[in-house]
């Protein structure tokens, strides 16, 4: 009941603005946390936090909203006076998860750029292009070590395990991408596993960590996990579509980065199911003629549509996870949950 | 104990320090089988002739750890090259320095902790504890190798200089990915220990390794000539891993802060001594005269302790250093100054000082009458002597001379990379992948035999024996 009443308010409510103050607090702390005594490292680590990603910090936003959304009264909390201090400590610890998540995310980007030999990232020169491969790798390691230090300070071994799993998944995902055996290249299942490892695992496990820090039940922690996982998957699938379509709905206006690097994503995989002959074109996509052929097949197929449908399915699963949380009448809780659901829709409908 | 150990007074003092733990010479004799009345044989002992081989005390555990490391890597190492398959053979491991220290430390600290539950229940705990301490050794190796791999990443300028930039690019991918893989495995293993203090210590190690390597990349001249900066860099790059992993071993066992600190001090000073002697060996090789070493540090423009000391005596050496060492003539000039100076001697003295500090840390541990504990402590002290001195001991750079195998009637081959058991490449030419593999294999010590690989359309043989590996380009 509350849900429908408040929904019209939400249409004018920006999920990112709900947590804007906290985001900027986190950004400040991140900057000081990656300060290093060695100048080269400091500027390398700072490099990434400076790049235009200031505005929307997607991951931390999700985590902060999740923290509030889960703020169901936990029976065993001590009475209000003491509880207030505990709550703020808890909130700080949950913010740390957001910081850790960002550091790990950026570390993986720095390494991926070296692996991809990338020149640019987000429209700016990539760190490895600007300061050298080695420094980019070292900077990534530095961020990872800082993340681990922050993780240790939380003194929660379950969370340490979850985040360590994320690190492993990121590496596994990247490895899967670089080393796919031919039998697996055309497998949607393999692709989804890789996508989980590279993109969704960070979201799922950090959402779960937020729940665990707050002492929530295994059931609620799982819901948080499911939200993060499905949101991440939806996000990546739409990313795949946008790489083909760009900001227009027609094919070929996107940057086509994936396919030019020989990375086969969901739309092509779906198209290959309809047009087996497309498989023969594989591994020749750096040849523009082959690329055009592939795009032609893609256009004839339902590849793009099916990918969007799959993304929608995961977005809905994410929303369903939020809906399944224990009911609450708290206004902030309701707002945050609405915002989380809204994010699942934004992920689908975004054009960049 | 008599004061007749005039040949190696420092060693004598350490020996005497140990002996105070024993009730009688006979008791010592029982433990280590030395006849203390025979001064010469004690000295022979202290000079590394193996009555007591630190490595053999922990040999079984070492091989267990090596097997675990191997099975982990074998299952997961990515098939990065286009048709290569990896076959891992079980073989002799060679001396694995870091895990040896950690396992010996684990036993050396095995002072009975009063709050342990009574024997029946307690018996289960130590096994778990030992396994957990072994994990520290595994984690340490994984991080060490990961850092070597990441240190090896080349910048674009370097990749273009290589034979076929494709190889160099592939080499970078291999280095980054393999390093990340090892780091992630280290993280997971760390998490499984469920001890956040240890997580903090090991995370600090990774940060220090990165900082140390970055310090080495920094070329600000004022810092380059500073001994203090150099020692800080050396701590970061070499000693931090040892110090913090030793401390972790202590912490897992629930020891007091003081004992943990002693373990830390041992590791730290051992690591520093080791690196300082490494610096010397780079100039002297296995002979005592200058210039027989590989000189790889100075050729890479890395200024180490001997040169730093020499610069204190001969300020004009700074100008030489500033010019850089691409020109071999400059290297000769620097070596000349070094020879005139006390640079080598002072470095050896500093190494010995740290070696003795490490030994002193062991001496300060709470007394124990347990035979295994005493043996391990003796072994740890023995290691300080091996680490802190230039000798023919096993901790020096140990490698076969690089031979050019040109076959009459055989297919000519080219050696393209080789390294010793410390994971450091002795020499390489332009085949960067071979170089990386050699480092990876040797440092991980997980191969024995010959691997035939095809990497980026090049056939290579990776021939490994014990703790070193040689990569040959088959053409």
């Amino acid at each position: 009941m509350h849900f429908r009443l408040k929904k019209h308010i939400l249409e004018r409510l920006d999920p990112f603005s709900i947590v804007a103050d906290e985001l900027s607090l986190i950004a400040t702390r991140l900057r000081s946390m990656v300060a290093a005594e060695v100048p080269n490292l400091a500027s390398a680590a700072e490099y990434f936090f400076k790049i235009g990603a200031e505005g929307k910090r997607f991951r931390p936003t999700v985590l902060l909203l999740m923290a509030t959304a889960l703020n169901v009264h936990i029976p065993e909390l001590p009475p209000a006076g003491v509880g207030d201090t505990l709550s703020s400590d808890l909130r700080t610890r949950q913010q740390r998860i957001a910081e850790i998540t960002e550091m790990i995310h950026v570390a993986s980007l720095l390494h991926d750029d070296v692996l991809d030999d990338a020149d640019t990232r987000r429209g700016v020169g990539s760190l490895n292009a600007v300061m050298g491969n080695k420094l980019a790798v070292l900077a990534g390691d530095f961020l990872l070590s800082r993340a681990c230090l922050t993780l240790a300070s939380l003194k929660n071994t379950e969370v340490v395990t979850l985040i360590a799993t994320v690190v492993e998944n990121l590496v596994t995902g990247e490895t899967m991408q670089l080393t796919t055996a031919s039998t697996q290249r055309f497998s949607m299942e393999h692709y989804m596993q890789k996508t989980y490892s590279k993109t969704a695992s960070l979201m799922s496990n950090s959402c779960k960590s937020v729940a665990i820090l707050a002492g929530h039940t295994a059931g609620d922690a799982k819901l948080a996990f499911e939200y993060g996982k499905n949101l991440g998957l939806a996000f990546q699938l739409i990313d795949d579509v946008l790489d083909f379509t760009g900001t227009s709905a027609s094919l070929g206006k996107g940057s086509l980065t994936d396919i030019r690097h020989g990375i086969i994503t969901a739309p092509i995989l779906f198209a290959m199911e309809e047009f087996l002959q497309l498989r023969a074109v594989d591994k020749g996509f750096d040849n523009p003629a082959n690329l055009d052929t592939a795009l032609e097949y893609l256009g004839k197929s339902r590849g793009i549509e099916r990918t969007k449908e799959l993304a929608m399915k995961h977005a809905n699963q994410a929303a369903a996870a939020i809906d399944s949380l224990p009911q609450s009448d708290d206004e902030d809780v309701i707002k945050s949950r609405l915002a989380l659901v809204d994010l699942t829709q934004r992920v689908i409908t975004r054009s960049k | 104990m008599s004061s007749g150990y005039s040949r190696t007074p420092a060693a004598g003092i350490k020996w005497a320090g140990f002996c105070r733990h024993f009730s009688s010479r006979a008791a010592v004799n029982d433990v280590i089988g030395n006849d203390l009345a025979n001064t010469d044989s004690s000295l022979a002992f202290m000079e590394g002739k193996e009555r007591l081989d630190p490595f053999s005390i922990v040999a079984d555990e070492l091989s267990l750890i090596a097997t675990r490391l191997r099975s982990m890597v074998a299952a997961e190492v990515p098939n990065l090259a286009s048709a290569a398959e990896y076959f891992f053979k079980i073989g002799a491991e060679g001396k694995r320095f870091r895990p040896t220290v950690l396992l010996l430390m684990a036993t050396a600290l095995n002072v009975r902790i009063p709050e342990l539950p009574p024997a029946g229940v307690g018996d289960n705990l130590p096994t778990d504890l030992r396994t957990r301490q072994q994990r520290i050794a595994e984690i340490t190796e994984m991080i060490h190798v990961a850092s070597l791999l990441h240190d090896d990443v080349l910048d674009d300028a370097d990749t273009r200089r290589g034979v076929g930039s494709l190889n160099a690019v592939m080499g970078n991918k291999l280095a980054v990915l393999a390093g990340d893989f090892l780091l992630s495995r280290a993280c997971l293993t760390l998490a499984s220990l469920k001890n956040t203090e240890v997580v903090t210590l090991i995370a600090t190690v990774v940060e220090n390794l990165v900082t140390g390597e970055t310090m080495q990349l920094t070329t600000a001249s004022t810092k380059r000539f500073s001994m203090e900066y150099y020692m800080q860099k050396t701590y970061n790059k070499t000693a931090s891993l040892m110090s913090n992993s030793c401390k972790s071993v202590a912490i897992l066992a629930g020891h007091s802060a003081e004992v943990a600190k002693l373990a830390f001090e041992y590791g730290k000073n051992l690591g520093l001594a080791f690196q300082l002697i490494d610096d010397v060996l780079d100039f002297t090789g296995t002979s005592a005269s200058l210039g027989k070493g590989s000189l790889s540090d100075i050729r890479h423009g890395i200024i180490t302790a001997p040169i730093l000391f020499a610069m204190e005596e001969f300020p004009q050496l700074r100008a030489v250093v500033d010019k850089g060492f691409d020109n071999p003539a400059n290297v000769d000039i620097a070596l000349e100054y070094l020879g005139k100076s006390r640079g080598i001697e002072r470095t050896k003295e500093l190494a010995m000082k740290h070696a003795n500090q490490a030994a002193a840390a062991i001496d300060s541990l709470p007394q124990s009458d347990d035979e295994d504990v005493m043996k391990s402590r003796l072994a740890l002290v023995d290691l300080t002597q091996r680490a802190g001195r230039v000798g023919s001991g096993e901790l020096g750079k140990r490698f076969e001379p690089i031979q050019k195998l040109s076959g009459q009637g055989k297919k000519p081959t080219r050696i393209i990379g080789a390294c010793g058991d410390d994971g450091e490449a002795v020499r390489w030419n332009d085949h960067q992948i071979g170089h990386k593999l050699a480092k990876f294999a040797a440092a991980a010590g997980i191969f024995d035999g010959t691997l035939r690989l095809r990497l980026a359309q090049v056939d290579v043989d990776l021939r490994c024996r014990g703790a070193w590996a040689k990569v040959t380009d088959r053409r």
Side-chain angles (χ1 to χ4, degrees):
Chain A
M1 280 86 33
H2 280 196
F3 186 98
R4 286 189 205 107
L5 281 174
K6 306 259 178 182
K7 200 163 195 307
H8 73 279
I9 300 173
L10 184 66
E11 256 107 48
R12 275 160 287 170
L13 199 65
D14 175 16
F16 300 102
S17 66
I18 296 179
V19 293
D21 291 338
E22 267 183 306
L23 278 181
S24 117
L25 177 66
I26 285 174
T28 305
R29 277 210 296 256
L30 270 171
R31 219 169 262 113
S32 67
M33 263 198 273
V34 302
E37 283 126 31
V38 182
N40 283 354
L41 264 186
S43 46
E46 264 265 351
Y47 181 89
F48 235 95
F49 294 108
K50 281 194 190 123
I51 299 192
E54 283 319 326
K56 308 287 164 72
R57 295 200 151 275
F58 182 59
R59 264 161 240 88
T61 299
V62 169
L63 294 172
L64 294 171
L65 288 172
M66 179 63 75
T68 312
L70 291 169
N71 196 13
V72 181
H73 174 64
I74 304 163
E76 62 272 16
L77 266 187
V82 180
D84 286 339
T85 322
L86 275 184
S87 309
S88 58
D89 283 343
L90 172 61
R91 191 72 182 190
T92 306
R93 283 153 64 78
Q94 288 170 325
Q95 287 164 3
R96 294 261 179 261
I97 299 287
E99 289 154 27
I100 291 165
T101 304
E102 272 313 273
M103 285 190 274
I104 289 177
H105 172 66
V106 173
S108 74
L109 289 183
L110 289 173
H111 281 194
D112 283 356
D113 281 347
V114 174
L115 288 170
D116 294 340
D117 223 15
D119 291 327
T120 59
R121 161 74 67 176
R122 294 181 187 158
V124 187
S126 60
L127 180 62
N128 53 307
V130 169
M131 292 181 84
N133 285 334
K134 183 161 174 180
L135 200 58
V137 174
L138 291 177
D141 291 345
F142 177 76
L143 285 175
L144 190 61
S145 70
R146 281 289 157 103
C148 286
L149 279 173
T150 310
L151 197 53
S153 76
L154 294 176
K155 298 200 190 312
N156 184 311
T157 54
E158 192 176 354
V159 169
V160 172
T161 304
L162 286 175
I163 303 298
T165 306
V166 170
V167 175
E168 191 195 55
N169 288 348
L170 285 169
V171 174
T172 303
E174 196 56 37
T175 305
M176 286 171 88
Q177 186 152 291
L178 278 181
T179 69
T180 313
S182 23
T183 43
Q184 291 165 319
R185 270 178 83 74
F186 307 142
S187 154
M188 193 63 194
E189 190 183 327
H190 183 261
Y191 172 77
M192 290 305 284
Q193 183 57 46
K194 184 201 85 173
T195 301
Y196 172 75
S197 295
K198 272 178 71 82
T199 309
S201 167
L202 184 60
M203 233 30 268
S204 62
N205 285 296
S206 49
C207 281
K208 186 174 178 182
S209 298
V210 162
I212 282 171
L213 278 184
H216 286 291
T217 63
D220 289 350
K222 187 175 200 315
L223 288 170
F225 180 93
E226 288 297 316
Y227 176 83
K229 173 181 126 186
N230 285 291
L231 189 74
L233 291 174
F235 184 90
Q236 187 57 49
L237 288 164
I238 295 299
D239 229 42
D240 292 348
V241 167
L242 290 174
D243 196 56
F244 286 105
T245 63
T247 53
S248 100
S250 58
L251 276 178
K253 297 286 170 63
S255 55
L256 300 172
T257 320
D258 292 333
I259 197 168
R260 286 209 180 101
H261 281 91
I263 297 172
I264 310 296
T265 58
I268 295 283
L269 286 170
F270 280 130
M272 280 177 178
E273 286 179 14
E274 291 177 58
F275 296 99
L276 289 171
Q277 54 273 51
L278 184 49
R279 297 186 179 194
V281 186
D282 182 35
K283 299 212 177 154
F285 291 127
D286 40 359
N287 176 349
N290 281 340
L291 184 58
D292 289 335
T293 310
L295 290 178
E296 225 186 280
Y297 276 115
L298 181 59
K300 286 193 240 176
S301 74
R302 288 195 66 242
I304 296 285
E305 289 80 9
R306 287 176 69 191
T307 309
K308 287 185 183 177
E309 284 164 17
L310 186 57
M312 178 64 76
K313 174 179 150 201
H314 283 294
N316 291 341
Q317 281 173 336
I322 299 301
D323 280 347
S324 309
L325 288 170
Q327 194 177 341
S328 165
D329 296 324
D330 183 303
E331 183 177 328
D332 287 333
V333 173
I334 295 173
K335 243 205 254 183
S336 296
R337 293 183 187 186
L338 283 173
L340 286 173
V341 171
D342 184 61
L343 275 175
T344 69
Q345 293 309 303
R346 286 181 188 235
V347 157
I348 301 295
T349 57
R350 68 200 168 99
S351 56
K352 59 174 165 68
Chain B
M1 297 306 304
S2 78
S3 55
Y5 300 92
S6 53
R7 268 194 281 159
T8 51
I13 288 166
K14 288 310 112 209
W15 184 243
F18 258 91
C19 291
R20 74 166 188 267
H21 291 303
F22 300 94
S23 54
S24 68
R25 289 190 185 195
V28 180
N29 213 22
D30 286 342
V31 172
I32 56 141
N34 248 12
D35 181 358
L36 275 187
N38 185 340
T39 304
D40 284 347
S41 71
S42 312
L43 278 175
F45 168 93
M46 291 309 291
E47 282 174 15
K49 302 213 166 50
E50 285 98 312
R51 290 302 296 267
L52 185 72
D53 178 15
F55 302 103
S56 65
I57 295 177
V58 291
D60 290 341
E61 268 182 305
L62 279 180
S63 119
L64 179 67
I65 286 172
T67 303
R68 280 207 291 253
L69 276 170
R70 197 184 300 118
S71 67
M72 174 205 77
V73 176
E76 304 282 348
V77 169
N79 199 355
L80 288 183
S82 47
E85 276 189 349
Y86 294 90
F87 298 104
F88 293 76
K89 289 189 199 144
I90 309 236
E93 292 308 326
K95 305 289 163 68
R96 307 189 53 69
F97 179 56
R98 266 161 242 90
T100 298
V101 169
L102 294 172
L103 295 171
L104 288 172
M105 179 62 75
T107 311
L109 292 173
N110 197 13
V111 181
R112 181 137 47 118
I113 304 162
E115 62 270 17
L116 268 186
V121 181
D123 284 342
N124 291 329
L125 287 179
T127 325
D128 288 337
L129 172 61
R130 191 70 182 192
T131 305
R132 284 153 64 78
Q133 289 169 325
Q134 287 166 2
R135 296 255 179 266
I136 299 288
E138 288 159 32
I139 291 165
T140 303
E141 278 310 276
M142 288 191 266
I143 288 177
H144 172 67
V145 176
S147 74
L148 290 181
L149 288 167
H150 280 185
D151 285 355
D152 219 27
V153 169
L154 298 170
D155 286 318
D156 286 338
D158 301 321
T159 60
R160 270 180 245 122
R161 257 191 269 134
V163 168
S165 54
L166 172 66
N167 290 345
V169 168
M170 277 302 294
N172 266 359
K173 291 190 195 234
L174 183 74
V176 175
L177 203 52
D180 283 349
F181 169 74
L182 287 172
L183 278 178
S184 72
R185 274 298 151 114
C187 279
L188 272 178
T189 311
L190 204 49
S192 77
L193 295 176
K194 300 199 189 308
N195 184 312
T196 53
E197 192 177 355
V198 169
V199 173
T200 303
L201 289 174
I202 303 297
T204 305
V205 171
V206 177
E207 182 182 303
N208 288 348
L209 285 169
V210 170
T211 303
E213 187 61 23
T214 309
M215 285 169 90
Q216 189 155 284
L217 292 176
T218 301
T219 50
S221 37
T222 43
K223 296 263 174 70
R224 276 177 88 200
F225 301 151
S226 154
M227 193 64 192
E228 192 186 327
Y229 186 78
Y230 173 76
M231 289 306 284
Q232 182 58 48
K233 183 200 85 171
T234 301
Y235 172 76
N236 284 336
K237 274 179 70 80
T238 310
S240 166
L241 184 61
M242 232 34 269
S243 61
N244 285 294
S245 51
C246 282
K247 187 174 177 183
S248 297
V249 163
I251 281 170
L252 279 184
H255 285 293
S256 67
E258 291 78 30
V259 170
K261 187 176 201 315
L262 288 170
F264 180 93
E265 289 297 316
Y266 175 83
K268 172 181 126 190
N269 285 292
L270 187 75
L272 291 174
F274 182 87
Q275 187 57 51
L276 288 163
I277 293 300
D278 227 43
D279 292 349
V280 168
L281 288 175
D282 196 57
F283 287 104
T284 65
T286 53
S287 99
S289 60
L290 273 178
K292 296 284 171 62
S294 58
L295 299 172
S296 79
D297 288 335
I298 197 170
R299 288 208 182 103
H300 283 88
I302 297 172
I303 309 303
T304 58
I307 296 281
L308 286 170
F309 280 129
M311 280 198 283
E312 288 178 11
E313 289 177 59
F314 296 99
Q316 55 271 51
L317 182 50
R318 294 188 181 205
V320 178
V321 170
D322 269 333
K323 283 204 212 131
F325 293 107
D326 293 327
N327 179 356
N330 230 20
V331 176
D332 292 333
I333 298 175
L335 289 180
E336 226 184 281
Y337 276 112
L338 182 59
K340 286 192 239 172
S341 75
R342 285 196 67 242
I344 295 285
E345 288 79 10
R346 288 176 69 192
T347 308
K348 287 185 186 179
E349 285 164 16
L350 186 57
M352 183 55 81
K353 173 180 150 202
H354 283 293
N356 290 340
Q357 280 172 335
I362 299 300
D363 273 351
S364 310
L365 288 171
Q367 192 176 341
S368 165
D369 297 325
D370 184 299
E371 179 177 331
D372 287 332
V373 173
M374 291 194 293
K375 245 206 251 185
S376 296
R377 292 183 187 186
L378 281 172
L380 286 172
V381 171
D382 183 62
L383 279 174
T384 70
Q385 296 310 304
R386 293 181 191 226
R389 288 192 305 164
V390 175
S392 52
E394 282 85 11
L395 289 184
K397 274 201 162 111
R398 180 169 63 91
F399 50 84
E400 290 180 8
I402 306 284
Q403 300 147 20
K404 250 207 148 117
L405 304 177
S406 56
Q408 252 102 21
K410 285 193 248 174
K411 243 177 162 184
T413 56
R414 226 170 26 123
I415 304 223
I416 54 182
C419 56
D421 64 350
D422 53 359
E424 290 301 312
V426 172
R427 199 176 306 170
W428 66 93
N429 38 25
D430 45 27
H431 199 310
Q432 296 299 340
I433 289 188
H435 166 54
K436 284 187 211 333
L437 272 181
K439 273 182 118 168
F440 181 58
I446 54 182
F447 297 93
D448 190 29
T450 306
L451 252 60
R452 198 145 279 182
L453 305 170
R454 186 170 177 76
L455 280 176
Q457 291 112 44
V458 177
D459 289 325
V460 298
D461 271 343
L462 182 65
R463 198 175 311 147
C464 312
R465 192 181 338 139
W468 63 274
K470 193 154 66 177
V471 184
T472 338
D473 182 345
R474 285 190 292 124
R475 306 232 170 166

